Amino acid sequence: MSDVKLQDIRKAFGSLEVIKGVDLDIKSGEFVVFVGPSGCGKSTLLRMIAGLEEITSGTLEIGGTRMNDVDPSKRGIAMVFQSYALYPHMTVRENMGFALRFAGVPKAEVEKQVAEAARILELEPLLDRKPKQLSGGQRQRVAIGRAIVRHPNVFLFDEPLSNLDAELRVHMRIEIARLHKTLATTMIYVTHDQVEAMTLADKIVVLRAGLVEQVGSPLELYDDPANLFVAGFLGSPKMNFFKGVVTASGNGNVTIELPEVGGTSIVKAATIAAGTTVTVGVRPEHFDDTGPAVLNLTIDMLEHLGGETFAYARHGSGDLVIIETKHGRDLKTGETIHAKFEPERALLFDAAGKRIR
Ligand code: ADP
Ligand code: MG
């Protein structure tokens, strides 16, 4: 059993509270990603789970045991950081076995564990090399290998891929996903990169300024965000937002005037009083050739990615609207387009940013 439970966890550095009461239930074997902008408290939260940072208040349980005051080495966790921190004078084999040798594990057992980790991570041909003879991705794999040999109940990753170039990041992301499938161990992974969060997680925890904004599977959060922050944070290119005023509602539809865009939109949502100020959110891929909402836009720039095209267009107030279009190859900069969307494609948010369903 290696479920992880956080109850009203808080962290203050002096008078500055940076984690402001986090409740989380992580199931045994789950891959959970903490995502959020830089400085929101992801590393601090992870380090409290690891025992590298004292918990100011609240309760942390791992496998049903209270861990607040347990030494990091006794928590059954292993952590992988952004910086690999390998010992330069040791070979891959020695680096991977170091923690076990240090703990007094017999030599034969260390060798067995290192061989097993090397097999899983495809590091066998590199076992006798020194870190400087490895690529960045290989070094990161050794750092992961160092964690694997310890057979932790919970793996903790803090932005492990941030030092790698884009191509290698994608490659390592797939390796980490594969590793989770192979080991089926609980993993908690911190990143500021929403693509990593979307692709790796069973469950995403979106953090902002020391608080949890929403918890859910990647597609739950993408399709059904609880607020403007989550809606805007997940997805690339980002969701478009338009200011509007409700003019009528009933039968599950709300009619909204969009003064900035000079259009009207109909959105599926509960009844809202006329005159209420709202924000309408539409993802780039949710614009279409049909629908009762029409935005008249001028194309500013076209981004042809081959399979798809993103049109960066402007409306009356001059703000950019990003549209994924099927007709990209026929469009020209400066041209006017009429972007439409169906009521069920748009999301609605109140003045405080909370979703109206
Ligand atoms: P993230 O990993 O999400 O980028 P961190 O957890 O590193 O964010 O930091 C969260 C907040 O806590 C930041 O405002 C940071 O400046 C602050 N912080 C982190 N560590 C310390 C520390 N040792 N002393 C004071 N403030 C800290
Ligand atoms: Mg961090």
Side-chain angles (χ1 to χ4, degrees):
M1 280 294 284
S2 46
D3 43 341
V4 179
K5 203 177 169 105
L6 281 66
Q7 277 174 307
D8 197 22
I9 290 281
R10 290 167 190 268
K11 177 72 191 180
F13 291 108
S15 61
L16 179 71
E17 191 171 55
V18 299
I19 301 293
K20 301 170 183 168
V22 169
D23 293 288
L24 267 184
D25 256 318
I26 297 170
K27 288 198 213 62
S28 188
E30 226 173 5
F31 198 129
V32 173
V33 177
F34 296 170
V35 70
S38 179
C40 71
K42 305 179 294 295
S43 294
T44 303
L45 197 56
L46 197 73
R47 290 168 58 82
M48 284 195 282
I49 296 170
L52 302 175
E53 206 73 77
E54 206 175 302
I55 296 169
T56 306
S57 71
T59 306
L60 167 71
E61 286 179 14
I62 302 177
T65 307
R66 185 186 149 95
M67 288 287 171
N68 289 50
D69 306 310
V70 174
D71 192 74
S73 63
K74 305 254 157 53
R75 293 190 184 195
I77 51 107
M79 190 149 166
V80 179
F81 299 91
Q82 178 177 348
S83 63
Y84 330 118
L86 301 178
Y87 299 109
H89 58 285
M90 289 185 196
T91 62
V92 167
R93 188 191 307 279
E94 289 162 347
N95 264 288
M96 289 211 286
F98 181 77
L100 296 182
R101 286 200 310 278
F102 189 74
V105 174
K107 196 160 171 260
E109 181 61 21
V110 175
E111 273 171 20
K112 188 174 149 228
Q113 293 306 333
V114 169
E116 174 64 7
R119 187 186 61 76
I120 293 170
L121 293 165
E122 293 171 7
L123 283 169
E124 283 152 324
L126 307 175
L127 279 171
D128 294 312
R129 290 203 195 167
K130 297 270 174 65
K132 67 167 187 292
Q133 298 167 298
L134 303 175
S135 70
Q138 290 167 337
R139 280 179 213 166
Q140 189 53 283
R141 268 192 281 157
V142 177
I144 294 169
R146 229 173 15 181
I148 290 178
V149 296
R150 299 172 54 200
H151 288 279
N153 295 322
V154 183
F155 281 92
L156 305 177
F157 295 93
D158 193 353
E159 311 237 9
L161 309 185
S162 295
N163 278 352
L164 306 177
D165 65 45
E167 195 179 338
L168 208 49
R169 260 202 322 264
V170 174
H171 180 74
M172 284 302 294
R173 199 171 77 205
I174 294 164
E175 293 220 352
I176 289 177
R178 194 170 55 95
L179 187 69
H180 180 248
K181 274 216 160 57
T182 308
L183 301 177
T185 308
T186 312
M187 294 188 174
I188 308 177
Y189 186 105
V190 161
T191 180
H192 65 274
D193 179 345
Q194 57 92 19
V195 177
E196 264 177 38
M198 290 295 289
T199 52
L200 283 171
D202 294 321
K203 190 151 94 187
I204 296 180
V205 179
V206 181
L207 289 165
R208 179 198 194 186
L211 284 169
V212 173
E213 290 281 315
Q214 196 174 357
V215 178
S217 75
L219 292 180
E220 272 165 19
L221 298 200
Y222 190 83
D223 293 340
D224 200 15
N227 54 50
L228 266 179
F229 181 78
V230 174
F233 193 78
L234 299 178
S236 173
K238 290 192 182 315
M239 186 182 281
N240 298 288
F241 296 116
F242 308 107
K243 287 259 169 285
V245 181
V246 173
T247 54
S249 65
N251 297 329
N253 282 331
V254 179
T255 308
I256 299 153
E257 217 168 79
L258 306 171
E260 291 177 346
V261 198
T264 300
S265 135
I266 297 173
V267 178
K268 273 214 173 334
T271 306
I272 308 171
T276 306
T277 305
V278 292
T279 300
V280 176
V282 186
R283 293 205 183 275
E285 71 271 27
H286 288 157
F287 287 100
D288 215 328
D289 299 332
T290 61
V294 184
L295 308 184
N296 300 315
L297 306 169
T298 309
I299 298 176
D300 211 38
M301 208 186 70
L302 289 164
E303 217 171 50
H304 295 290
L305 299 178
E308 62 218 28
T309 299
F310 294 109
Y312 292 76
R314 289 187 191 281
H315 55 69
S317 75
D319 282 346
L320 268 184
V321 182
I322 308 174
I323 295 169
E324 185 180 335
T325 165
K326 296 196 264 299
H327 314 296
R329 289 170 193 251
D330 306 323
L331 295 174
K332 289 189 183 58
T333 307
E335 197 175 331
T336 300
I337 51 168
H338 310 286
K340 300 175 184 169
F341 56 88
E342 299 288 351
E344 60 272 19
R345 288 311 205 175
L347 305 182
L348 212 55
F349 303 89
D350 70 13
K354 198 167 168 296
R355 178 81 181 283
I356 309 170
R357 289 187 168 90

